[in-house]
């Protein structure tokens, strides 16, 4: 990404940081060495609000217009946030006097693309790109009065600005001039002139009288020496600016008083062990078994943690990205490197983005630093996994993992506000059609248990965490605290997970691979419709459901314990009968698997029902009283309502009922369907009914009870609302999740739900396993 955070990233009090920029005045007293940081395990960060940037357009976010929050800064009193909004070429203002209920304050046009913002006294300083193209580059630094939300002055810049930072004594502002390359020109690699540079703004007098100096950064890097592309800047207490040159894999230190480059050095490389270098889809799932030697760090965001040390987020760009962060000494030596630890963390909490395995993994984008109640904290943003990793920095050169925080998609900017015990993270991805809304994530430092993650995995025998994601069905053990979950088709090597809900977070403690060593899938060919039938799937489709190693790539959407041992797995079919664009490839099937995951039997629908197949098929299965009850997600061809199928296990016969769905009410349109089903006893079942909308567009997420007692084949069922779970989904203070896909009723009567994070594919990855308590009489 090209837009960077600057603003406030140290642990000093906010009031000491935001110094008036009028006239300069007397020099501040010498900075005193802070007291040693002391760990405080009793206090953590928890999310308390999510501000969707689209509310600046309309309070209900009923607009498809793209917007963004990329970088954030705070007013002098810490009560107003200012963020850059590149797509709309403006900055936005948010009232956080009550941080749990942020309010939109409007926006101000910048006459160009804002790329970064910081705060100085009463002003916000906004770096704005006004370039015509990649060669005709220009920019400006816009000075805005935060209180009046009016432009005070504009200062010309000699190119395309990216990051901006202010010195802690208020004397200097540093602006990175990136002059980014055209990635579509030739191979997209440097050198591509004009070269980047660093601009120093001398803050003296009124903003209209501030002067600039340009620091030449050409010729210092071994890689692409003629084309430096500085990415990010941060300033320490001695007014030394550290500048990352990402594509050049280089770091420069600049004395702001003299404008001299006092030191520069390569960012170096790191060898990563036990990482995954192969993208999904593939049958072997996430495999943390490979080594990536001599991977260039290519740092992006940077923050000082003392006068003599700084931390880089090693996102990578061209051929690098070391998937973690590094603590550097001021002389360029490495004091600490996180190695593969962040990749393992993402796998453990279900946020591993397997589609980025062959590229740069979780992509640490930015770093922040702050002292909260005497404890120094480092914040590392993962762009592709959409989380904030938090580390206790009390022990020098030994960051201690403290917790992880969920964020909206694509976190880009980080703003610690220690004076208010707040942390602000700006997430930039905004695409209403994909249910992603750009947001400001607000977290409070508080005495409380960490609210996230809700599930984390134990280790495999090799010491790496069990990777997981895309949970699509849930079933409770007959006693105790265990639940079982399945993953859907995303990973194409399906597993059953055993989760202990007695711990906090719940512990995913075992994985059971579904396998077909006895060729049960191939044996289906004998009972399938004629392959000449356009609505049938043939031997080729069957063979594609079984991997070469005997594992399977079906689409598990529901799971139930089998009374005779093992599990029933409902697999959703692929394709729609008669639809050329999405022809039928696989049928909706129920697999009986052993406790070890071996397929023992397969149940098919009647041929006349299969002929009506649409791609919204099996979504849940429950065994009760010798029968399997399956929920179809939506109505099939020629029908107005989705089916509830009832299969008599002994008689091997089907009957069907129809379920009355609610009409879609989302302003974004969409549809309503069923997701999972759980048995309640006495022919009663609990189902999830939901729309396919998320965030501010979500409207229907409900649990209904149905009763099959005395219902004739073909009848339409009644339903009783048990709970509207919209308020439960809002309780974690994030955006409402689209796919509430798992439902389980525990032996003690507690009802659990869980959302599907789509394997972190166009998804923030957030997973909430929520205990709704005892809802049923």
């Amino acid at each position: 990404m090209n837009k960077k955070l600057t603003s406030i990233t140290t642990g000093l009090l906010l009031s000491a940081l935001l110094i008036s920029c009028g006239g300069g005045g007397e020099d501040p007293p010498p900075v005193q060495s802070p007291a040693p940081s002391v760990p405080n395990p009793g206090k953590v960060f928890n999310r308390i609000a999510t501000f969707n940037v689209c509310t600046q357009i309309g309070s209900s976010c009923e607009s498809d217009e793209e917007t963004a929050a990329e970088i954030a800064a705070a007013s002098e009193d810490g009560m107003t946030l200012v963020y850059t909004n590149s797509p709309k070429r403006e900055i936005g203002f948010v009232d956080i006097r009550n941080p749990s209920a942020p309010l939109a304050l409007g926006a101000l046009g910048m006459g160009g693309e804002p790329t970064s913002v910081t705060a100085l006294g009463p002003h916000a300083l906004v770096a704005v790109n006004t370039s015509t193209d990649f060669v005709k580059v220009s920019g400006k630094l816009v000075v805005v009065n935060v209180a009046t939300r009016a432009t005070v002055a504009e200062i010309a810049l000699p190119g395309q600005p990216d990051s901006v930072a202010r010195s802690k004594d208020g004397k200097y502002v540093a602006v990175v001039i990136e002059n980014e390359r055209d990635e579509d020109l030739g191979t997209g690699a440097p050198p591509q002139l004009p070269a980047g540079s660093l601009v120093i703004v001398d803050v003296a007098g009124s903003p209209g009288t501030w002067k600039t100096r340009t620091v030449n950064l050409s010729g210092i890097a071994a890689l692409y020496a003629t084309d430096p592309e500085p990415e990010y800047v941060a300033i320490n207490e001695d007014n030394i600016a550290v500048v990352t040159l990402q594509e050049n894999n280089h770091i420069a230190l600049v004395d702001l008083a003299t404008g001299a480059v006092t030191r520069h050095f390569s960012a170096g490389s790191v060898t990563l062990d036990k990482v995954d270098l192969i993208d999904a889809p593939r049958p072997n799932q996430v495999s943390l078994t490979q080594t990536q030697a001599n991977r260039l760090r290519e740092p992006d965001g940077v923050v000082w943690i003392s006068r003599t040390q700084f931390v880089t987020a090693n996102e990578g760009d061209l051929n690098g990205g070391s998937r973690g962060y590094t603590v550097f000494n001021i002389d360029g030596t490495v004091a600490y490197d996180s190695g593969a630890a962040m990749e393992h963390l993402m796998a453990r909490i279900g946020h591993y983005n397997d589609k980025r395995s062959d590229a740069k993994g979780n992509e640490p984008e930015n770093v922040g630093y702050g002292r909260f109640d005497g404890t120094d904290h480092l914040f590392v943003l993962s762009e592709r996994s959409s989380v904030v990793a938090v580390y206790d920095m009390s022990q020098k050169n030994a960051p201690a993992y403290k917790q992880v925080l969920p964020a909206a998609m694509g976190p880009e900017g980080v703003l610690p506000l220690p004076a208010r015990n707040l942390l602000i993270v700006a997430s930039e991805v905004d695409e209403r059609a994909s249910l992603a809304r750009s947001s400001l994530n607000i977290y409070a430092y508080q005495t409380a248990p960490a609210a996230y993650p809700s599930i984390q995995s134990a280790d495999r025998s090799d010491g790496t965490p069990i990777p997981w994601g895309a949970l699509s069905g849930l079933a409770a053990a007959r006693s105790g605290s265990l639940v079982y979950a399945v993953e859907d088709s995303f990973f194409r090597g399906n597993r059953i997970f055993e989760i202990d809900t007695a711990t906090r977070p719940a512990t995913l403690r075992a994985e059971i691979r579904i396998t077909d060593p006895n060729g049960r899938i191939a044996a289906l060919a004998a009972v399938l419709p004629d392959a000449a039938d356009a609505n049938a799937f043939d031997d080729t489709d069957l063979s594609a459901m079984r991997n070469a190693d005997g594992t399977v790539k079906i689409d598990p959407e529901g799971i139930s314990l089998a009374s005779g041992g093992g599990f029933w797995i409902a697999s959703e079919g692929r394709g729609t009968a008669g639809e050329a664009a999405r022809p039928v490839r696989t049928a909706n099937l129920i697999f009986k698997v052993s406790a070890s995951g071996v397929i023992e039997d397969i149940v098919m629908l009647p041929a006349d029902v299969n002929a009506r197949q649409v791609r919204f098929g099996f979504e849940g299965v429950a065994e009760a009283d010798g029968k399997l009850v399956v929920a179809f997600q939506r109505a099939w061809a020629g029908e107005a309502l989705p089916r509830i199928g009832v299969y008599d296990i002994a008689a091997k016969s089907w009957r069907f009922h129809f379920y009355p769905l609610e009409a879609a009410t989302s302003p974004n349109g969409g549809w309503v369907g069923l997701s999972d089903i759980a048995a309640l006893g006495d022919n009663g079942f609990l189902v999830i009914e939901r729309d396919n909308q998320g965030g501010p567009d979500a409207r229907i997420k409900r649990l209904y009870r149905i009763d099959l007692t005395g219902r004739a084949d073909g009848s339409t069922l009644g339903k009783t609302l048990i709970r509207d779970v919209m308020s439960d989904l809002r309780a974690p203070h994030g955006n409402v999740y689209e796919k509430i896909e798992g439902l389980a009723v525990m032996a003690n009567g507690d009802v659990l739900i869980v959302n599907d994070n789509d394997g972190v594919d166009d998804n923030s990855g957030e997973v909430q396993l929520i205990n709704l308590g005892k809802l049923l009489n």
Side-chain angles (χ1 to χ4, degrees):
M1 292 304 192
N2 299 312
K3 290 52 177 193
K4 305 295 160 217
L5 164 80
T6 51
S7 62
I8 306 163
T9 52
T10 71
L12 299 180
L13 291 176
L14 186 64
S15 58
L17 285 176
L18 299 175
I19 300 169
S20 171
C21 54
E26 296 183 0
D27 289 342
V31 177
Q32 302 297 317
S33 297
S37 173
V38 178
N40 188 350
K43 297 196 75 171
V44 301
F45 294 88
N46 281 321
R47 184 173 55 193
I48 59 171
T50 297
F51 176 83
N52 290 313
V53 177
C54 52
T55 59
Q56 296 276 25
I57 302 172
S59 60
S60 58
C61 280
E62 296 179 16
S63 171
D64 294 334
E65 188 173 0
E66 183 185 6
T67 184
E70 298 168 277
I71 309 302
S75 61
E76 188 171 20
D77 60 4
M79 298 297 176
T80 303
L81 297 179
V82 184
Y83 63 87
T84 60
N85 187 339
S86 174
K88 289 183 66 62
R89 299 164 66 89
E90 66 186 24
I91 57 172
F93 302 86
V94 181
D95 180 348
I96 59 166
R97 286 175 295 178
N98 178 358
S100 297
L103 299 173
L105 291 177
L108 178 66
M110 288 288 100
E113 176 194 12
T115 59
S116 188
V117 61
T118 190
L120 184 60
H123 298 132
L125 312 180
V126 188
V128 179
N129 176 23
T130 58
S131 301
T132 303
D133 53 36
F134 292 99
V135 176
K136 299 173 183 176
V137 293
S138 62
K140 58 185 178 180
L141 184 68
V142 180
V143 183
V144 176
N145 185 294
V146 176
T148 63
R149 300 194 284 281
T151 297
V152 173
E154 294 187 356
I155 301 168
L157 297 173
Q160 173 245 315
D162 199 341
S163 170
V164 57
R166 47 71 55 86
S167 66
K168 295 168 179 61
D169 62 9
K171 288 185 176 181
Y172 306 105
V173 174
V175 185
V176 158
I177 305 298
E178 182 181 16
N179 291 340
E180 63 184 347
R181 70 191 190 282
D182 182 353
E183 296 183 14
D184 295 324
L185 179 65
T187 64
Q192 291 183 28
L193 299 181
S197 60
L198 179 73
V199 170
I200 301 170
V201 181
D202 294 307
V203 177
S206 64
T209 65
W210 296 351
K211 304 299 181 184
T212 64
R213 295 173 281 143
T214 300
V215 179
N216 182 7
L217 299 175
S218 296
I220 64 173
L223 292 173
Y224 317 116
T226 62
D227 185 18
E229 285 195 37
E231 194 81 14
Y232 199 95
V233 61
I235 305 170
N236 72 1
E237 287 87 344
D238 297 322
N239 289 335
I240 301 298
V242 56
V243 181
T244 58
L245 291 78
Q246 186 173 44
E247 288 80 358
N248 310 91
N249 196 43
H250 211 73
I251 296 170
L253 301 179
V254 178
D255 184 331
L256 295 181
T258 65
V261 177
T262 58
R263 184 179 279 119
H264 65 89
F265 41 84
S266 169
S269 63
V270 62
T271 293
L272 300 171
D273 293 318
K274 295 185 176 181
V275 292
D276 188 346
L277 304 177
I278 303 173
D279 276 4
R282 40 73 194 289
N284 294 324
Q285 306 260 335
V286 177
S287 179
L288 301 171
T289 59
Q290 297 172 290
T291 297
Q292 191 170 50
N294 303 316
R295 182 71 166 177
L296 299 182
R297 290 189 172 94
E298 293 187 352
D300 192 340
V302 63
V303 65
W304 289 94
I305 62 173
S306 72
R307 276 188 163 96
T308 59
Q309 287 189 315
F310 55 86
V311 179
T312 59
N314 303 324
E315 179 200 26
D317 194 329
L318 289 170
N319 302 301
S322 62
R323 308 182 185 220
Y325 62 94
T326 304
V327 180
F328 282 96
N329 296 315
I330 199 168
D331 63 1
T333 57
V334 172
Y336 175 86
D337 190 278
S338 65
M342 285 193 66
E343 291 286 274
H344 291 185
L345 173 61
M346 302 311 149
R348 188 179 302 282
I349 64 172
H351 279 255
Y352 188 88
N353 189 331
D354 199 23
K355 286 196 171 181
R356 303 298 300 173
S357 289
D358 73 334
K360 295 168 284 183
N362 76 90
E363 290 189 28
E365 170 75 18
N366 213 335
V367 281
Y369 186 75
R371 171 166 288 196
F372 288 77
D373 286 357
T375 304
D376 292 340
H377 293 87
L378 175 70
F379 308 97
V380 184
L381 275 56
S382 169
E383 180 182 3
R384 298 295 182 173
S385 293
S386 298
V387 296
V388 184
V390 184
Y391 299 86
D392 185 326
M393 301 294 285
S394 297
Q395 183 68 37
K396 184 174 176 143
N397 302 334
Y401 170 72
K402 183 181 182 74
Q403 64 179 127
V404 66
L405 304 170
M409 277 182 66
E412 180 86 11
V414 55
L415 173 65
L417 296 177
R420 297 202 61 199
N421 276 333
L422 296 176
L423 173 71
I424 313 297
V425 170
S427 292
E428 68 171 344
V429 176
D430 190 81
E431 186 177 346
R432 190 184 187 196
S434 298
L435 312 184
R437 301 318 307 244
S438 177
S439 305
L440 293 171
N441 311 269
I442 304 177
Y443 312 90
Y445 189 55
Q446 54 189 218
T447 302
Y452 199 78
S454 63
I455 304 172
Q456 66 182 18
S457 66
D459 286 343
R460 288 172 165 167
S461 59
D462 66 356
T464 63
I466 299 171
W468 61 276
L471 302 184
S472 57
L474 208 60
R478 293 184 178 87
S479 63
S481 59
L482 292 183
V483 295
Y484 297 90
V486 284
E487 60 184 1
D488 65 21
S489 61
F490 178 78
F491 292 107
R492 304 194 180 187
N494 310 110
R495 294 172 294 170
I496 300 167
F497 299 115
E498 182 181 283
I499 302 172
D500 185 355
T501 64
T503 61
R504 183 170 180 178
T507 303
L508 191 155
R509 67 185 197 182
E511 56 185 334
I512 304 167
R513 188 78 62 179
I514 302 174
T515 61
D516 186 26
N518 302 316
R520 298 287 186 181
I521 292 176
L524 282 179
V527 298
L528 288 178
D530 187 343
D533 184 344
N535 294 332
F537 60 96
D538 58 25
D539 291 349
T540 301
D541 299 313
L542 282 174
S543 63
M545 295 172 66
R546 187 181 186 276
N547 297 313
D549 61 359
T551 61
V552 300
K553 43 186 174 183
I554 58 177
D555 188 8
E557 293 288 347
I559 180 172
S560 175
L561 269 67
S563 57
F567 307 93
W568 297 102
I569 306 294
S571 177
E572 187 172 27
R574 179 184 172 198
T576 297
E579 185 176 309
R582 292 191 182 97
V584 171
R585 295 301 185 192
T586 58
N588 291 264
L589 303 169
I590 303 174
F591 292 87
K592 171 63 174 65
V593 303
S594 70
S596 60
V598 174
I599 295 175
E600 298 176 332
D601 196 10
I602 304 175
V603 177
M604 294 188 65
L605 287 167
D608 63 324
V609 178
N610 271 333
R612 296 178 177 274
Q613 178 174 316
V614 300
R615 62 191 183 92
F616 302 98
F618 287 173
E619 281 290 320
V621 61
E623 182 190 331
D625 302 320
K627 297 177 176 59
L628 299 177
V629 181
V630 291
F632 291 49
Q633 186 165 61
R634 296 179 65 191
W636 279 20
E639 298 174 343
L641 300 174
R643 294 182 180 229
I644 299 292
V646 182
Y647 180 75
D648 188 308
I649 299 171
K652 298 186 178 181
S653 62
W654 284 93
R655 76 172 192 269
F656 298 94
H657 308 285
F658 292 94
Y659 179 91
L661 287 173
E662 299 298 303
T665 58
S666 172
N668 200 32
W671 49 260
V672 176
L674 297 176
S675 272
D676 204 357
I677 187 168
L680 301 177
D682 296 328
N683 277 319
F685 295 86
L686 194 64
V687 297
I688 298 173
E689 184 175 343
R690 66 167 180 88
D691 59 19
N692 68 330
Q693 301 299 311
D697 283 319
R699 292 294 184 274
I700 297 176
K701 315 290 180 186
R702 300 171 187 168
L703 302 184
Y704 286 97
R705 182 172 187 159
I706 58 175
D707 189 341
L708 304 187
T709 302
R711 294 292 182 173
D713 189 12
S715 62
T716 298
L717 302 173
K719 63 182 184 180
T720 302
L721 178 64
I722 298 300
R723 191 180 187 100
D724 185 330
V725 298
M726 285 289 289
S727 60
D728 301 289
L729 302 179
R730 293 188 180 107
H733 304 294
N735 282 312
V736 172
Y737 327 105
E738 176 208 357
K739 295 185 177 180
I740 310 306
E741 295 254 312
L743 170 67
V745 180
M746 305 293 287
N748 68 356
D750 286 353
V751 176
L752 273 60
I753 57 173
V754 71
N755 67 295
D756 176 2
N757 72 356
D758 287 332
V760 203
D761 182 20
D762 287 333
N763 191 296
S764 72
E766 182 169 345
V767 176
Q768 292 288 351
L769 177 65
I770 300 174
N771 190 330
L772 301 173
K774 296 172 176 59
L775 306 182
L776 306 161
N777 294 328

